[in-house]
Amino acid sequence: MNLGRLNHVGVATPSIEKSIATYRTLLGAEAIGAPFDLPAQGVKVCFIDAPNTQIELIEPYDESSPIAGYLKKNPAGGQHHVCFEVPDITQAVFELKANGATVLGEPRIGAHGTPIVFVHPKDFGGVLVELMETPREAH
Ligand code: CO
């Protein structure tokens, strides 16, 4: 396994619009992407750039959204996952499983257009970990 850079921190929110306003007002965030829908993943997404990483705001796309349950427990939203880059998602999944980790589902295309996969929080002391294949243009 080759742990890559922290690509983003996922933050669940009931309103991307309100969260954008908060990051802009309280933290002076300026590099804020346009929100977009990922219906296949059941989420709306917006990236805010920090100098060394990104915040991924995620809002439920509909009531069947995988983060709808999270927001039921945390109505104001909260820190949802951390995402690390890996050079090869297939290899990463193979090694995780070989080491007894619980990989959630098959790799799928994530918000950055490269394959992603989630690893169960029980394997990381309660932290939901997303692994994402490093975008090719980053090299
Ligand atoms: Co993410």
Side-chain angles (χ1 to χ4, degrees):
M1 180 68 71
N2 280 308
L3 177 63
R5 64 186 284 273
L6 175 68
N7 182 276
H8 63 264
V9 175
V11 173
T13 173
S15 166
I16 282 178
E17 201 183 330
K18 283 182 186 165
S19 291
I20 287 173
T22 301
Y23 278 80
R24 191 175 269 141
T25 305
L26 294 185
L27 293 177
E30 288 177 351
I32 299 170
F36 58 99
D37 296 340
L38 277 182
Q41 307 227 15
V43 290
K44 301 176 187 182
V45 178
C46 175
F47 285 103
I48 297 175
D49 291 347
N52 61 340
T53 189
Q54 291 181 307
I55 299 298
E56 177 188 42
L57 299 173
I58 41 178
E59 179 186 322
Y61 181 73
D62 55 28
E63 286 181 6
S64 65
S65 173
I67 62 159
Y70 180 91
L71 285 175
K72 212 164 248 175
K73 286 183 218 154
N74 308 276
Q79 197 260 302
H80 184 262
H81 65 269
V82 293
C83 177
F84 296 105
E85 294 182 13
V86 293
D88 182 331
I89 202 87
T90 308
Q91 181 67 21
V93 167
F94 177 82
E95 290 183 29
L96 281 161
K97 287 181 175 172
N99 284 307
T102 300
V103 177
L104 302 170
E106 293 298 314
R108 52 201 178 278
I109 299 300
H112 285 91
T114 67
I116 60 122
V117 76
F118 285 91
V119 186
H120 200 288
K122 73 181 181 183
D123 294 319
F124 285 100
V127 177
L128 178 61
V129 171
E130 176 184 7
L131 297 176
M132 148 186 172
E133 205 166 274
T134 305
R136 298 282 173 231
E137 59 269 31
H139 293 291

